[in-house]
Amino acid sequence: GAGVSQSPSNKVTEKGKDVELRCDPISGHTALYWYRQSLGQGLEFLIYFQGNSAPDKSGLPSDRFSAERTGGSVSTLTIQRTQQEDSAVYLCASRRTSGIFNEQFFGPGTRLTVL
Amino acid sequence: TQLLEQSPQFLSIQEGENLTVYCNSSSVFSSLQWYRQEPGEGPVLLVTVVTGGEVKKLKRLTFQFGDARKDSSLHITAAQTGDTGLYLCAGAHSSNTGKLIFGQGTTLQVKP
């Protein structure tokens, strides 16, 4: 079956512009996560959606970052007034919540470059 | 801050050598996972360990979860060039939320 897809794969923008990053999770997965990864580094948790529950936004670095998940499926991560330090790869993952193991399936990421 | 310290951050070895990557924390995790990531792709899950002292083997890879569930190691025997990549450990405090805390990663380069 299809995996997690993300678009665009690459985004170059100018400082101060807004950007939207899209994630299409695996069909039937009720949990969705956004992470940020700096070059060659580990992943930094940003936000987590689970079904109709209020999202866990505890990882968002500033109020310029927001995310929504429409209809329990597709998610959009929005960064307003982008800064150069926002440059990173933004990864989305989804998870089927049944079962005891915590397996997340990752998309290929969106590489964001802020000039 | 709940951190996972991963070491070494970079490792360059010859094909056929053995290596070990470590992942340490002061926190107890309900489960710990190891991922491998190749350039331009998302991380791919290698293994999940949930029981203190647990050892899992995946071909030439051996994963161990510490008795206190605060640390883990990944050992690769007779490394091959195909093992080259970024290895990430990630811990979960709750099996319900699935929220993961990642280590900084270990970049492994296996030379022919």
Side-chain angles (χ1 to χ4, degrees), chain A residues 33 35 37 40-43 45 48 56 58 91 95 101-104 106-108, chain B residues 33 35 37 40 42-43 45 48 86 88 92 95-100 102-104:
Chain A
Y33 308 80
Y35 295 88
Q37 185 176 30
Q41 297 295 306
L43 280 65
F45 167 78
Y48 157 61
D56 177 347
S58 60
L91 290 156
R95 171 183 175 235
F101 291 107
N102 187 7
E103 182 167 0
Q104 297 183 20
F106 285 83
Chain B
Q33 299 181 315
Y35 290 82
Q37 184 179 23
L45 180 67
T48 301
L86 177 66
L88 297 156
S95 60
N96 291 329
T97 68
K99 184 175 164 182
L100 293 174
F102 279 82
Q104 310 97 310

PDB file of all heavy atoms in Angstrom, chain A residues 33 35 37 40-43 45 48 56 58 91 95 101-104 106-108, chain B residues 33 35 37 40 42-43 45 48 86 88 92 95-100 102-104:
ATOM      1  N   TYR A  33       2.218  12.812  13.194  1.00  0.00           N
ATOM      2  CA  TYR A  33       3.259  13.570  13.886  1.00  0.00           C
ATOM      3  C   TYR A  33       4.027  14.426  12.881  1.00  0.00           C
ATOM      4  O   TYR A  33       4.248  14.008  11.745  1.00  0.00           O
ATOM      5  CB  TYR A  33       4.270  12.623  14.543  1.00  0.00           C
ATOM      6  CG  TYR A  33       3.655  11.555  15.419  1.00  0.00           C
ATOM      7  CD1 TYR A  33       3.100  10.410  14.861  1.00  0.00           C
ATOM      8  CD2 TYR A  33       3.651  11.687  16.805  1.00  0.00           C
ATOM      9  CE1 TYR A  33       2.544   9.430  15.662  1.00  0.00           C
ATOM     10  CE2 TYR A  33       3.100  10.704  17.610  1.00  0.00           C
ATOM     11  CZ  TYR A  33       2.550   9.575  17.026  1.00  0.00           C
ATOM     12  OH  TYR A  33       1.994   8.596  17.818  1.00  0.00           O
ATOM     13  N   TYR A  35       7.827  16.363  12.681  1.00  0.00           N
ATOM     14  CA  TYR A  35       9.149  16.517  13.277  1.00  0.00           C
ATOM     15  C   TYR A  35       9.973  17.452  12.400  1.00  0.00           C
ATOM     16  O   TYR A  35       9.697  17.625  11.216  1.00  0.00           O
ATOM     17  CB  TYR A  35       9.891  15.178  13.361  1.00  0.00           C
ATOM     18  CG  TYR A  35       9.276  14.141  14.263  1.00  0.00           C
ATOM     19  CD1 TYR A  35       8.313  13.259  13.780  1.00  0.00           C
ATOM     20  CD2 TYR A  35       9.674  14.020  15.591  1.00  0.00           C
ATOM     21  CE1 TYR A  35       7.761  12.286  14.602  1.00  0.00           C
ATOM     22  CE2 TYR A  35       9.134  13.049  16.419  1.00  0.00           C
ATOM     23  CZ  TYR A  35       8.181  12.184  15.925  1.00  0.00           C
ATOM     24  OH  TYR A  35       7.634  11.232  16.743  1.00  0.00           O
ATOM     25  N   GLN A  37      14.116  18.202  11.346  1.00  0.00           N
ATOM     26  CA  GLN A  37      15.459  17.627  11.399  1.00  0.00           C
ATOM     27  C   GLN A  37      16.470  18.572  10.767  1.00  0.00           C
ATOM     28  O   GLN A  37      16.368  18.897   9.583  1.00  0.00           O
ATOM     29  CB  GLN A  37      15.479  16.275  10.664  1.00  0.00           C
ATOM     30  CG  GLN A  37      16.804  15.555  10.762  1.00  0.00           C
ATOM     31  CD  GLN A  37      16.770  14.183  10.103  1.00  0.00           C
ATOM     32  OE1 GLN A  37      16.031  13.968   9.141  1.00  0.00           O
ATOM     33  NE2 GLN A  37      17.551  13.238  10.615  1.00  0.00           N
ATOM     34  N   GLY A  40      21.881  16.274   9.217  1.00  0.00           N
ATOM     35  CA  GLY A  40      22.628  15.213   9.866  1.00  0.00           C
ATOM     36  C   GLY A  40      22.331  15.003  11.329  1.00  0.00           C
ATOM     37  O   GLY A  40      23.060  14.294  12.023  1.00  0.00           O
ATOM     38  N   GLN A  41      21.235  15.584  11.817  1.00  0.00           N
ATOM     39  CA  GLN A  41      20.919  15.518  13.241  1.00  0.00           C
ATOM     40  C   GLN A  41      19.685  14.661  13.501  1.00  0.00           C
ATOM     41  O   GLN A  41      19.045  14.143  12.588  1.00  0.00           O
ATOM     42  CB  GLN A  41      20.674  16.938  13.784  1.00  0.00           C
ATOM     43  CG  GLN A  41      21.879  17.841  13.693  1.00  0.00           C
ATOM     44  CD  GLN A  41      23.024  17.353  14.567  1.00  0.00           C
ATOM     45  OE1 GLN A  41      22.861  17.128  15.760  1.00  0.00           O
ATOM     46  NE2 GLN A  41      24.194  17.179  13.971  1.00  0.00           N
ATOM     47  N   GLY A  42      19.386  14.509  14.767  1.00  0.00           N
ATOM     48  CA  GLY A  42      18.183  13.787  15.151  1.00  0.00           C
ATOM     49  C   GLY A  42      16.939  14.607  14.876  1.00  0.00           C
ATOM     50  O   GLY A  42      17.007  15.735  14.407  1.00  0.00           O
ATOM     51  N   LEU A  43      15.803  14.020  15.188  1.00  0.00           N
ATOM     52  CA  LEU A  43      14.523  14.652  14.921  1.00  0.00           C
ATOM     53  C   LEU A  43      13.997  15.359  16.157  1.00  0.00           C
ATOM     54  O   LEU A  43      14.088  14.848  17.272  1.00  0.00           O
ATOM     55  CB  LEU A  43      13.504  13.604  14.479  1.00  0.00           C
ATOM     56  CG  LEU A  43      13.552  13.150  13.019  1.00  0.00           C
ATOM     57  CD1 LEU A  43      14.845  12.422  12.704  1.00  0.00           C
ATOM     58  CD2 LEU A  43      12.363  12.275  12.712  1.00  0.00           C
ATOM     59  N   PHE A  45      10.621  16.801  17.868  1.00  0.00           N
ATOM     60  CA  PHE A  45       9.166  16.700  17.843  1.00  0.00           C
ATOM     61  C   PHE A  45       8.537  18.086  17.757  1.00  0.00           C
ATOM     62  O   PHE A  45       8.941  19.015  18.468  1.00  0.00           O
ATOM     63  CB  PHE A  45       8.677  15.987  19.101  1.00  0.00           C
ATOM     64  CG  PHE A  45       7.201  16.084  19.335  1.00  0.00           C
ATOM     65  CD1 PHE A  45       6.321  15.286  18.627  1.00  0.00           C
ATOM     66  CD2 PHE A  45       6.686  16.993  20.257  1.00  0.00           C
ATOM     67  CE1 PHE A  45       4.947  15.387  18.843  1.00  0.00           C
ATOM     68  CE2 PHE A  45       5.326  17.094  20.479  1.00  0.00           C
ATOM     69  CZ  PHE A  45       4.451  16.296  19.768  1.00  0.00           C
ATOM     70  N   TYR A  48       1.573  16.681  17.469  1.00  0.00           N
ATOM     71  CA  TYR A  48       0.998  15.345  17.373  1.00  0.00           C
ATOM     72  C   TYR A  48      -0.524  15.447  17.329  1.00  0.00           C
ATOM     73  O   TYR A  48      -1.119  16.160  18.145  1.00  0.00           O
ATOM     74  CB  TYR A  48       1.462  14.536  18.582  1.00  0.00           C
ATOM     75  CG  TYR A  48       0.626  13.356  18.986  1.00  0.00           C
ATOM     76  CD1 TYR A  48       0.424  12.288  18.123  1.00  0.00           C
ATOM     77  CD2 TYR A  48       0.063  13.286  20.267  1.00  0.00           C
ATOM     78  CE1 TYR A  48      -0.313  11.184  18.517  1.00  0.00           C
ATOM     79  CE2 TYR A  48      -0.678  12.192  20.665  1.00  0.00           C
ATOM     80  CZ  TYR A  48      -0.861  11.144  19.793  1.00  0.00           C
ATOM     81  OH  TYR A  48      -1.595  10.052  20.188  1.00  0.00           O
ATOM     82  N   ASP A  56      -1.339  17.791  20.490  1.00  0.00           N
ATOM     83  CA  ASP A  56      -0.243  18.097  21.410  1.00  0.00           C
ATOM     84  C   ASP A  56       0.718  19.018  20.680  1.00  0.00           C
ATOM     85  O   ASP A  56       1.469  18.572  19.817  1.00  0.00           O
ATOM     86  CB  ASP A  56       0.444  16.794  21.818  1.00  0.00           C
ATOM     87  CG  ASP A  56       1.651  17.018  22.726  1.00  0.00           C
ATOM     88  OD1 ASP A  56       2.129  18.168  22.856  1.00  0.00           O
ATOM     89  OD2 ASP A  56       2.145  16.023  23.288  1.00  0.00           O
ATOM     90  N   SER A  58       3.136  20.829  22.061  1.00  0.00           N
ATOM     91  CA  SER A  58       4.200  21.189  22.990  1.00  0.00           C
ATOM     92  C   SER A  58       5.565  21.377  22.340  1.00  0.00           C
ATOM     93  O   SER A  58       6.444  22.019  22.921  1.00  0.00           O
ATOM     94  CB  SER A  58       4.305  20.138  24.099  1.00  0.00           C
ATOM     95  OG  SER A  58       4.603  18.864  23.550  1.00  0.00           O
ATOM     96  N   LEU A  91       9.633  16.493   8.624  1.00  0.00           N
ATOM     97  CA  LEU A  91       9.193  15.117   8.426  1.00  0.00           C
ATOM     98  C   LEU A  91       7.832  14.894   9.070  1.00  0.00           C
ATOM     99  O   LEU A  91       7.568  15.379  10.177  1.00  0.00           O
ATOM    100  CB  LEU A  91      10.198  14.139   9.034  1.00  0.00           C
ATOM    101  CG  LEU A  91      11.545  14.040   8.312  1.00  0.00           C
ATOM    102  CD1 LEU A  91      12.625  13.544   9.250  1.00  0.00           C
ATOM    103  CD2 LEU A  91      11.438  13.124   7.112  1.00  0.00           C
ATOM    104  N   ARG A  95       0.829   6.722  12.353  1.00  0.00           N
ATOM    105  CA  ARG A  95       0.878   5.519  13.175  1.00  0.00           C
ATOM    106  C   ARG A  95      -0.531   4.961  13.350  1.00  0.00           C
ATOM    107  O   ARG A  95      -1.477   5.711  13.583  1.00  0.00           O
ATOM    108  CB  ARG A  95       1.470   5.864  14.535  1.00  0.00           C
ATOM    109  CG  ARG A  95       1.415   4.787  15.603  1.00  0.00           C
ATOM    110  CD  ARG A  95       1.982   5.341  16.894  1.00  0.00           C
ATOM    111  NE  ARG A  95       1.859   4.403  17.989  1.00  0.00           N
ATOM    112  CZ  ARG A  95       1.265   4.659  19.147  1.00  0.00           C
ATOM    113  NH1 ARG A  95       0.729   5.835  19.369  1.00  0.00           N
ATOM    114  NH2 ARG A  95       1.210   3.743  20.086  1.00  0.00           N
ATOM    115  N   PHE A 101       3.099  -1.808  20.119  1.00  0.00           N
ATOM    116  CA  PHE A 101       4.340  -1.265  19.620  1.00  0.00           C
ATOM    117  C   PHE A 101       4.094   0.067  18.937  1.00  0.00           C
ATOM    118  O   PHE A 101       3.097   0.283  18.277  1.00  0.00           O
ATOM    119  CB  PHE A 101       5.029  -2.245  18.668  1.00  0.00           C
ATOM    120  CG  PHE A 101       5.538  -3.461  19.369  1.00  0.00           C
ATOM    121  CD1 PHE A 101       4.912  -4.670  19.209  1.00  0.00           C
ATOM    122  CD2 PHE A 101       6.628  -3.379  20.212  1.00  0.00           C
ATOM    123  CE1 PHE A 101       5.365  -5.795  19.874  1.00  0.00           C
ATOM    124  CE2 PHE A 101       7.093  -4.493  20.877  1.00  0.00           C
ATOM    125  CZ  PHE A 101       6.462  -5.711  20.707  1.00  0.00           C
ATOM    126  N   ASN A 102       5.029   0.910  19.102  1.00  0.00           N
ATOM    127  CA  ASN A 102       4.916   2.320  18.790  1.00  0.00           C
ATOM    128  C   ASN A 102       5.552   2.601  17.440  1.00  0.00           C
ATOM    129  O   ASN A 102       6.474   3.386  17.359  1.00  0.00           O
ATOM    130  CB  ASN A 102       5.633   3.073  19.912  1.00  0.00           C
ATOM    131  CG  ASN A 102       5.458   4.536  19.815  1.00  0.00           C
ATOM    132  OD1 ASN A 102       4.715   5.026  19.003  1.00  0.00           O
ATOM    133  ND2 ASN A 102       6.189   5.267  20.654  1.00  0.00           N
ATOM    134  N   GLU A 103       5.113   1.938  16.374  1.00  0.00           N
ATOM    135  CA  GLU A 103       5.790   2.074  15.095  1.00  0.00           C
ATOM    136  C   GLU A 103       5.222   3.250  14.319  1.00  0.00           C
ATOM    137  O   GLU A 103       4.020   3.315  14.045  1.00  0.00           O
ATOM    138  CB  GLU A 103       5.640   0.795  14.264  1.00  0.00           C
ATOM    139  CG  GLU A 103       6.370   0.867  12.942  1.00  0.00           C
ATOM    140  CD  GLU A 103       6.498  -0.467  12.257  1.00  0.00           C
ATOM    141  OE1 GLU A 103       6.008  -1.469  12.820  1.00  0.00           O
ATOM    142  OE2 GLU A 103       7.085  -0.515  11.165  1.00  0.00           O
ATOM    143  N   GLN A 104       6.094   4.163  13.983  1.00  0.00           N
ATOM    144  CA  GLN A 104       5.725   5.300  13.155  1.00  0.00           C
ATOM    145  C   GLN A 104       6.324   5.110  11.767  1.00  0.00           C
ATOM    146  O   GLN A 104       7.467   4.686  11.628  1.00  0.00           O
ATOM    147  CB  GLN A 104       6.230   6.603  13.771  1.00  0.00           C
ATOM    148  CG  GLN A 104       5.605   6.889  15.131  1.00  0.00           C
ATOM    149  CD  GLN A 104       6.034   8.211  15.715  1.00  0.00           C
ATOM    150  OE1 GLN A 104       6.503   9.101  15.008  1.00  0.00           O
ATOM    151  NE2 GLN A 104       5.870   8.343  17.012  1.00  0.00           N
ATOM    152  N   PHE A 106       7.404   7.042   8.404  1.00  0.00           N
ATOM    153  CA  PHE A 106       7.786   8.398   8.025  1.00  0.00           C
ATOM    154  C   PHE A 106       7.660   8.637   6.526  1.00  0.00           C
ATOM    155  O   PHE A 106       7.897   7.735   5.713  1.00  0.00           O
ATOM    156  CB  PHE A 106       9.244   8.671   8.435  1.00  0.00           C
ATOM    157  CG  PHE A 106       9.419   8.900   9.907  1.00  0.00           C
ATOM    158  CD1 PHE A 106       9.540   7.834  10.778  1.00  0.00           C
ATOM    159  CD2 PHE A 106       9.451  10.190  10.419  1.00  0.00           C
ATOM    160  CE1 PHE A 106       9.697   8.043  12.144  1.00  0.00           C
ATOM    161  CE2 PHE A 106       9.615  10.404  11.777  1.00  0.00           C
ATOM    162  CZ  PHE A 106       9.725   9.332  12.640  1.00  0.00           C
ATOM    163  N   GLY A 107       7.318   9.882   6.196  1.00  0.00           N
ATOM    164  CA  GLY A 107       7.394  10.319   4.827  1.00  0.00           C
ATOM    165  C   GLY A 107       8.822  10.723   4.482  1.00  0.00           C
ATOM    166  O   GLY A 107       9.696  10.719   5.355  1.00  0.00           O
ATOM    167  N   PRO A 108       9.067  11.100   3.233  1.00  0.00           N
ATOM    168  CA  PRO A 108      10.426  11.453   2.796  1.00  0.00           C
ATOM    169  C   PRO A 108      10.870  12.845   3.240  1.00  0.00           C
ATOM    170  O   PRO A 108      12.043  13.176   3.144  1.00  0.00           O
ATOM    171  CB  PRO A 108      10.341  11.378   1.274  1.00  0.00           C
ATOM    172  CG  PRO A 108       8.902  11.670   0.979  1.00  0.00           C
ATOM    173  CD  PRO A 108       8.125  11.084   2.109  1.00  0.00           C
TER     174      PRO A 108
ATOM    175  N   GLN B  33      13.314   2.601  20.281  1.00  0.00           N
ATOM    176  CA  GLN B  33      13.394   2.139  18.905  1.00  0.00           C
ATOM    177  C   GLN B  33      14.697   2.599  18.275  1.00  0.00           C
ATOM    178  O   GLN B  33      15.282   3.603  18.673  1.00  0.00           O
ATOM    179  CB  GLN B  33      12.223   2.720  18.104  1.00  0.00           C
ATOM    180  CG  GLN B  33      10.867   2.284  18.632  1.00  0.00           C
ATOM    181  CD  GLN B  33       9.732   2.851  17.822  1.00  0.00           C
ATOM    182  OE1 GLN B  33       9.718   4.014  17.474  1.00  0.00           O
ATOM    183  NE2 GLN B  33       8.762   2.009  17.506  1.00  0.00           N
ATOM    184  N   TYR B  35      16.177   3.457  14.376  1.00  0.00           N
ATOM    185  CA  TYR B  35      15.829   3.746  12.990  1.00  0.00           C
ATOM    186  C   TYR B  35      17.107   3.892  12.174  1.00  0.00           C
ATOM    187  O   TYR B  35      18.162   4.269  12.682  1.00  0.00           O
ATOM    188  CB  TYR B  35      15.049   5.057  12.882  1.00  0.00           C
ATOM    189  CG  TYR B  35      13.647   5.031  13.436  1.00  0.00           C
ATOM    190  CD1 TYR B  35      13.409   5.195  14.787  1.00  0.00           C
ATOM    191  CD2 TYR B  35      12.556   4.859  12.588  1.00  0.00           C
ATOM    192  CE1 TYR B  35      12.120   5.192  15.288  1.00  0.00           C
ATOM    193  CE2 TYR B  35      11.257   4.854  13.085  1.00  0.00           C
ATOM    194  CZ  TYR B  35      11.053   5.023  14.439  1.00  0.00           C
ATOM    195  OH  TYR B  35       9.761   5.016  14.921  1.00  0.00           O
ATOM    196  N   GLN B  37      18.271   5.879   8.544  1.00  0.00           N
ATOM    197  CA  GLN B  37      17.819   6.872   7.585  1.00  0.00           C
ATOM    198  C   GLN B  37      18.864   7.054   6.500  1.00  0.00           C
ATOM    199  O   GLN B  37      20.055   7.230   6.796  1.00  0.00           O
ATOM    200  CB  GLN B  37      17.546   8.207   8.289  1.00  0.00           C
ATOM    201  CG  GLN B  37      16.976   9.285   7.396  1.00  0.00           C
ATOM    202  CD  GLN B  37      16.698  10.571   8.150  1.00  0.00           C
ATOM    203  OE1 GLN B  37      17.282  10.828   9.201  1.00  0.00           O
ATOM    204  NE2 GLN B  37      15.804  11.401   7.626  1.00  0.00           N
ATOM    205  N   GLY B  40      17.746  11.887   1.858  1.00  0.00           N
ATOM    206  CA  GLY B  40      16.549  12.176   1.074  1.00  0.00           C
ATOM    207  C   GLY B  40      15.349  11.325   1.430  1.00  0.00           C
ATOM    208  O   GLY B  40      14.311  11.417   0.771  1.00  0.00           O
ATOM    209  N   GLY B  42      12.882   9.377   4.746  1.00  0.00           N
ATOM    210  CA  GLY B  42      12.555   9.405   6.155  1.00  0.00           C
ATOM    211  C   GLY B  42      13.169   8.217   6.873  1.00  0.00           C
ATOM    212  O   GLY B  42      13.571   7.244   6.241  1.00  0.00           O
ATOM    213  N   PRO B  43      13.248   8.282   8.200  1.00  0.00           N
ATOM    214  CA  PRO B  43      13.781   7.144   8.958  1.00  0.00           C
ATOM    215  C   PRO B  43      12.911   5.903   8.772  1.00  0.00           C
ATOM    216  O   PRO B  43      11.687   5.999   8.648  1.00  0.00           O
ATOM    217  CB  PRO B  43      13.721   7.637  10.404  1.00  0.00           C
ATOM    218  CG  PRO B  43      13.624   9.121  10.320  1.00  0.00           C
ATOM    219  CD  PRO B  43      12.879   9.408   9.062  1.00  0.00           C
ATOM    220  N   LEU B  45      12.082   2.160  10.548  1.00  0.00           N
ATOM    221  CA  LEU B  45      12.217   1.427  11.810  1.00  0.00           C
ATOM    222  C   LEU B  45      12.987   0.124  11.622  1.00  0.00           C
ATOM    223  O   LEU B  45      12.707  -0.667  10.719  1.00  0.00           O
ATOM    224  CB  LEU B  45      10.830   1.119  12.379  1.00  0.00           C
ATOM    225  CG  LEU B  45      10.793   0.362  13.696  1.00  0.00           C
ATOM    226  CD1 LEU B  45      11.358   1.228  14.822  1.00  0.00           C
ATOM    227  CD2 LEU B  45       9.368  -0.078  14.021  1.00  0.00           C
ATOM    228  N   THR B  48      12.059  -2.430  17.773  1.00  0.00           N
ATOM    229  CA  THR B  48      11.496  -1.845  18.994  1.00  0.00           C
ATOM    230  C   THR B  48      11.822  -2.773  20.155  1.00  0.00           C
ATOM    231  O   THR B  48      11.606  -3.985  20.049  1.00  0.00           O
ATOM    232  CB  THR B  48       9.974  -1.682  18.893  1.00  0.00           C
ATOM    233  OG1 THR B  48       9.649  -0.848  17.783  1.00  0.00           O
ATOM    234  CG2 THR B  48       9.407  -1.075  20.166  1.00  0.00           C
ATOM    235  N   LEU B  86      22.493   6.985   8.489  1.00  0.00           N
ATOM    236  CA  LEU B  86      22.309   7.657   9.778  1.00  0.00           C
ATOM    237  C   LEU B  86      21.458   6.759  10.663  1.00  0.00           C
ATOM    238  O   LEU B  86      20.362   6.361  10.276  1.00  0.00           O
ATOM    239  CB  LEU B  86      21.612   9.007   9.573  1.00  0.00           C
ATOM    240  CG  LEU B  86      21.284   9.818  10.828  1.00  0.00           C
ATOM    241  CD1 LEU B  86      22.565  10.283  11.516  1.00  0.00           C
ATOM    242  CD2 LEU B  86      20.424  11.028  10.467  1.00  0.00           C
ATOM    243  N   LEU B  88      19.469   6.271  14.206  1.00  0.00           N
ATOM    244  CA  LEU B  88      18.799   7.090  15.216  1.00  0.00           C
ATOM    245  C   LEU B  88      18.150   6.210  16.272  1.00  0.00           C
ATOM    246  O   LEU B  88      17.472   5.241  15.931  1.00  0.00           O
ATOM    247  CB  LEU B  88      17.712   7.949  14.563  1.00  0.00           C
ATOM    248  CG  LEU B  88      18.166   8.980  13.540  1.00  0.00           C
ATOM    249  CD1 LEU B  88      17.044   9.315  12.578  1.00  0.00           C
ATOM    250  CD2 LEU B  88      18.654  10.240  14.225  1.00  0.00           C
ATOM    251  N   ALA B  92      10.208   6.348  23.822  1.00  0.00           N
ATOM    252  CA  ALA B  92       8.830   6.758  24.089  1.00  0.00           C
ATOM    253  C   ALA B  92       8.567   6.617  25.572  1.00  0.00           C
ATOM    254  O   ALA B  92       8.870   5.584  26.169  1.00  0.00           O
ATOM    255  CB  ALA B  92       7.851   5.911  23.299  1.00  0.00           C
ATOM    256  N   SER B  95       3.239   4.660  25.642  1.00  0.00           N
ATOM    257  CA  SER B  95       2.874   3.857  24.466  1.00  0.00           C
ATOM    258  C   SER B  95       1.557   4.359  23.881  1.00  0.00           C
ATOM    259  O   SER B  95       1.210   4.012  22.768  1.00  0.00           O
ATOM    260  CB  SER B  95       2.742   2.386  24.847  1.00  0.00           C
ATOM    261  OG  SER B  95       1.742   2.223  25.841  1.00  0.00           O
ATOM    262  N   ASN B  96       0.838   5.206  24.635  1.00  0.00           N
ATOM    263  CA  ASN B  96      -0.438   5.713  24.129  1.00  0.00           C
ATOM    264  C   ASN B  96      -0.253   6.826  23.104  1.00  0.00           C
ATOM    265  O   ASN B  96      -0.826   6.788  22.030  1.00  0.00           O
ATOM    266  CB  ASN B  96      -1.290   6.239  25.287  1.00  0.00           C
ATOM    267  CG  ASN B  96      -1.772   5.118  26.173  1.00  0.00           C
ATOM    268  OD1 ASN B  96      -1.987   4.010  25.716  1.00  0.00           O
ATOM    269  ND2 ASN B  96      -1.929   5.410  27.444  1.00  0.00           N
ATOM    270  N   THR B  97       0.570   7.804  23.422  1.00  0.00           N
ATOM    271  CA  THR B  97       0.709   8.942  22.515  1.00  0.00           C
ATOM    272  C   THR B  97       1.664   8.633  21.364  1.00  0.00           C
ATOM    273  O   THR B  97       1.521   9.193  20.291  1.00  0.00           O
ATOM    274  CB  THR B  97       1.236  10.194  23.237  1.00  0.00           C
ATOM    275  OG1 THR B  97       2.586   9.968  23.626  1.00  0.00           O
ATOM    276  CG2 THR B  97       0.400  10.514  24.460  1.00  0.00           C
ATOM    277  N   GLY B  98       2.624   7.789  21.605  1.00  0.00           N
ATOM    278  CA  GLY B  98       3.590   7.502  20.562  1.00  0.00           C
ATOM    279  C   GLY B  98       4.599   8.602  20.336  1.00  0.00           C
ATOM    280  O   GLY B  98       5.392   8.541  19.411  1.00  0.00           O
ATOM    281  N   LYS B  99       4.559   9.610  21.181  1.00  0.00           N
ATOM    282  CA  LYS B  99       5.482  10.734  21.023  1.00  0.00           C
ATOM    283  C   LYS B  99       6.908  10.261  21.284  1.00  0.00           C
ATOM    284  O   LYS B  99       7.194   9.683  22.322  1.00  0.00           O
ATOM    285  CB  LYS B  99       5.085  11.825  22.011  1.00  0.00           C
ATOM    286  CG  LYS B  99       5.871  13.105  21.945  1.00  0.00           C
ATOM    287  CD  LYS B  99       5.240  14.092  22.924  1.00  0.00           C
ATOM    288  CE  LYS B  99       6.147  15.253  23.227  1.00  0.00           C
ATOM    289  NZ  LYS B  99       5.534  16.162  24.219  1.00  0.00           N
ATOM    290  N   LEU B 100       7.810  10.482  20.328  1.00  0.00           N
ATOM    291  CA  LEU B 100       9.172   9.983  20.408  1.00  0.00           C
ATOM    292  C   LEU B 100      10.165  11.088  20.688  1.00  0.00           C
ATOM    293  O   LEU B 100      10.048  12.200  20.175  1.00  0.00           O
ATOM    294  CB  LEU B 100       9.566   9.293  19.103  1.00  0.00           C
ATOM    295  CG  LEU B 100       8.828   7.993  18.767  1.00  0.00           C
ATOM    296  CD1 LEU B 100       9.218   7.513  17.377  1.00  0.00           C
ATOM    297  CD2 LEU B 100       9.117   6.920  19.803  1.00  0.00           C
ATOM    298  N   PHE B 102      14.122  11.728  20.122  1.00  0.00           N
ATOM    299  CA  PHE B 102      15.194  11.172  19.317  1.00  0.00           C
ATOM    300  C   PHE B 102      16.566  11.577  19.842  1.00  0.00           C
ATOM    301  O   PHE B 102      16.749  12.680  20.365  1.00  0.00           O
ATOM    302  CB  PHE B 102      15.081  11.655  17.869  1.00  0.00           C
ATOM    303  CG  PHE B 102      14.086  10.896  17.048  1.00  0.00           C
ATOM    304  CD1 PHE B 102      12.739  11.208  17.106  1.00  0.00           C
ATOM    305  CD2 PHE B 102      14.498   9.859  16.225  1.00  0.00           C
ATOM    306  CE1 PHE B 102      11.816  10.505  16.342  1.00  0.00           C
ATOM    307  CE2 PHE B 102      13.592   9.148  15.466  1.00  0.00           C
ATOM    308  CZ  PHE B 102      12.248   9.473  15.525  1.00  0.00           C
ATOM    309  N   GLY B 103      17.532  10.675  19.674  1.00  0.00           N
ATOM    310  CA  GLY B 103      18.926  11.014  19.871  1.00  0.00           C
ATOM    311  C   GLY B 103      19.411  11.834  18.685  1.00  0.00           C
ATOM    312  O   GLY B 103      18.691  12.024  17.699  1.00  0.00           O
ATOM    313  N   GLN B 104      20.654  12.324  18.793  1.00  0.00           N
ATOM    314  CA  GLN B 104      21.204  13.200  17.756  1.00  0.00           C
ATOM    315  C   GLN B 104      21.584  12.440  16.488  1.00  0.00           C
ATOM    316  O   GLN B 104      21.815  13.039  15.442  1.00  0.00           O
ATOM    317  CB  GLN B 104      22.448  13.941  18.266  1.00  0.00           C
ATOM    318  CG  GLN B 104      22.266  14.630  19.595  1.00  0.00           C
ATOM    319  CD  GLN B 104      22.798  13.752  20.730  1.00  0.00           C
ATOM    320  OE1 GLN B 104      22.472  12.570  20.826  1.00  0.00           O
ATOM    321  NE2 GLN B 104      23.614  14.344  21.594  1.00  0.00           N
TER     322      GLN B 104
END
